[in-house]
Amino acid sequence: MTQSKPTILIVDDEVRSLEALERNLTDEFDVQIAETTKEAEQILADHWVQIILCDQRMPDKSGVEFLTEVREKWPDVIRIIISGYTDAGDIISGLNEAGIYYYVTKPWHPEKLILTLRNAVSMFELQRQNELLAIELRLSERTAKKKMSDGRQKLRKQYSFDDGIVRSKSSPMNAICDTLSQVAPYDLSVLITGESGTGKELAARAIHYNSLRWNKSFAVQKCSAVPQAVLESELFGHRRGAIAGAVQDQTGLFERAYGGTILLDEVCDLSPAFQVKLLRVVQDGEFRPIGSNQTKKTDIRLLVSSYKNLENEVREGRFRKDLYFRLAGVTVSIPPLRDRREDIPLLANFLLKQAMTDIGKEVAGFSAEAISCMKRYAWPGNVREIQNEIERMLVMGKEHDFLGADLLSPKVLMEASPEREDDLSLVTTTTRTLKERVEAVEIKILRESLIRHRWNKSKASRELGLSRVGLRGKLDRYHLEKEEEQDKVDEIGK
Ligand SMILES: Nc1ncnc2c1ncn2[C@@H]1O[C@H](COP(=O)(O)OP(=O)(O)OP(=O)(O)O)[C@@H](O)[C@H]1O
Ligand SMILES: [Mg+2]
């Protein structure tokens, strides 16, 4: 961040009073002045103002009225009111609405005023850092590494349905994205189901950044493998001493993410007791920090994800039906990657670009053989698995060159046969003879070894303990050869 002076906007209809303030503050602050609220609004729109110092008595509207409007449009600005009259009554009644940080009485003492403003600046910084930190801490690992410099607009673009969720023209993900974009603007709770690594969290982010809450926080809270007390304190917050080790008050996510969206990840694993507590929040929009007797209001859109079939959990009595109906306003199921193999080339190139930025290493793209091997593998760990595979390939690959199929892990290459049968069914099938079954496995092994050695037959035969002639014979028998088109390459961004 730059070390430039903090910007302060002074609004006062009395020119002399304005000048006096400006003179005193100009050393330490970048001072903007406005004689009317209209001018002030223009300045707020054009500048990044941290503090607004506003006179209470102005011809068109009172300072409190104006600051109430400012609060709605620019909630982060620290609002301070200056008053020369004994109209404290008026001000105090409006303090809450306008969310006034401090109220300065005239005549003001320059040093004291500067001190108050310095405190206001640190308050602004704290508030900002707190907000950024809250988001940053909860962001996916990848994104968290990036600077937040371009702000949420960038995030918004990153998670747009067109750019953020990569898919092909004929992908079943198109229908899913249509549904997501339809429900995004409404404050409906959405249940997102799908196998691990399919992109549930990504879908939740896309909903958030395409909703009216997009400029507020998005937070993820994992519900599995977290003790209930910890989960409760994370979401509801606690008072000092309310639970073991709580040396100070902690604000919960329901408060910190006020106005934003929370994804409750793996909601299927919530304990029955916690389900009751959550139901109360969902029904009444209220919660109570642990150890506090004060009820707080919350304004959160809840999204939930589950790797288990939640309807099943309800049927089996493990998940509350009433909570289920509240949470599953709309259900979206993300298909596993093996059911949308047509997405693999685009996705692989997209993930490769991401990995190149993260790792700081450039390659030209994938060889066509690498792509076709990737298309044949079933990816039980879905997009996350292919993402890891690509990162590993990039690390192992030669800079500026194409990433070849030889860089893929053996498990991927083993499935690289065009028949695309999984290992188990191949061995256990009863419709084939023993010879056929053994041969099918043999083909897989031969192909894996050949791809890994870039079809260098001497190396492959040595590894497999075969003579070159022996290997040649097998290749002829099984019609195994490098596919023509696999010599081509798949350049990034084609
Ligand atoms: N269609 C897609 N386009 C681009 N990136 C994707 C896509 N789907 C998933 N990803 C990326 O794959 C990774 C895993 O996705 P995500 O974390 O959303 O999955 P998940 O279903 O929440 O996984 P888990 O069940 O393990 O929590 C993330 O880095 C995500 O950005
Ligand atoms: Mg997830």
Side-chain angles (χ1 to χ4, degrees), residues 98-240:
I100 305 254
Y101 168 73
Y102 200 83
Y103 130 54
V104 180
T105 45
K106 283 187 195 168
W108 40 267
H109 187 281
E111 274 174 28
K112 221 173 131 206
L113 180 64
I114 288 180
L115 210 62
T116 305
L117 294 177
R118 275 190 205 141
N119 286 340
V121 173
S122 17
M123 168 87 175
F124 180 88
E125 274 306 314
L126 268 179
Q127 177 180 290
R128 215 173 97 80
Q129 276 168 16
N130 195 19
E131 207 176 40
L132 290 183
L133 198 67
I135 312 160
E136 220 158 345
L137 284 177
R138 312 260 156 192
L139 278 177
S140 68
E141 218 185 316
R142 245 205 94 262
T143 327
K145 285 182 203 150
K146 287 194 190 148
K147 289 262 156 63
M148 299 284 294
S149 54
D150 294 355
R152 291 176 207 264
Q153 276 291 3
K154 201 169 141 204
L155 284 173
R156 196 175 192 205
K157 174 147 175 47
Q158 186 178 338
Y159 292 111
S160 75
F161 291 110
D162 290 338
D163 296 344
I165 302 182
V166 176
R167 61 206 188 266
S168 66
K169 284 209 171 69
S170 54
S171 170
M173 285 304 288
N174 289 320
I176 307 275
C177 288
D178 286 347
T179 311
L180 292 175
S181 68
Q182 266 177 331
V183 300
Y186 302 100
D187 248 355
L188 281 172
S189 168
V190 181
L191 164 66
I192 307 165
T193 63
E195 285 179 14
S196 148
T198 42
K200 299 186 289 295
E201 189 177 321
L202 182 68
R205 281 179 200 281
I207 293 179
H208 171 73
Y209 287 104
N210 287 280
S211 77
L212 297 175
R213 297 173 178 267
W214 71 271
N215 60 352
K216 295 283 189 314
S217 309
F218 173 84
V220 183
Q221 178 61 53
K222 223 181 174 62
C223 300
S224 64
V226 185
Q228 188 184 313
V230 174
L231 186 61
E232 195 172 342
S233 139
E234 282 288 313
L235 288 174
F236 297 177
H238 60 240
R239 298 295 306 274
R240 191 162 73 129

Side-chain angles (χ1 to χ4, degrees), residues 164-166 195-202 265-266 340 347 350-351 383-384 387:
I165 302 182
V166 176
E195 285 179 14
S196 148
T198 42
K200 299 186 289 295
E201 189 177 321
L202 182 68
D265 205 9
E266 305 181 349
R340 44 179 163 119
L347 204 50
F350 172 83
L351 295 169
V383 185
R384 193 187 308 288
Q387 190 175 35

Side-chain angles (χ1 to χ4, degrees), residues 309-320:
N309 180 327
L310 213 51
E311 257 176 54
N312 252 351
E313 297 299 292
V314 172
R315 225 170 289 129
E316 313 245 317
R318 284 190 292 267
F319 202 87
R320 290 185 70 102

Side-chain angles (χ1 to χ4, degrees), residues 232-255:
E232 195 172 342
S233 139
E234 282 288 313
L235 288 174
F236 297 177
H238 60 240
R239 298 295 306 274
R240 191 162 73 129
I243 52 172
V247 287
Q248 56 189 33
D249 288 2
Q250 180 181 302
T251 319
L253 210 48
F254 280 142
E255 201 169 339

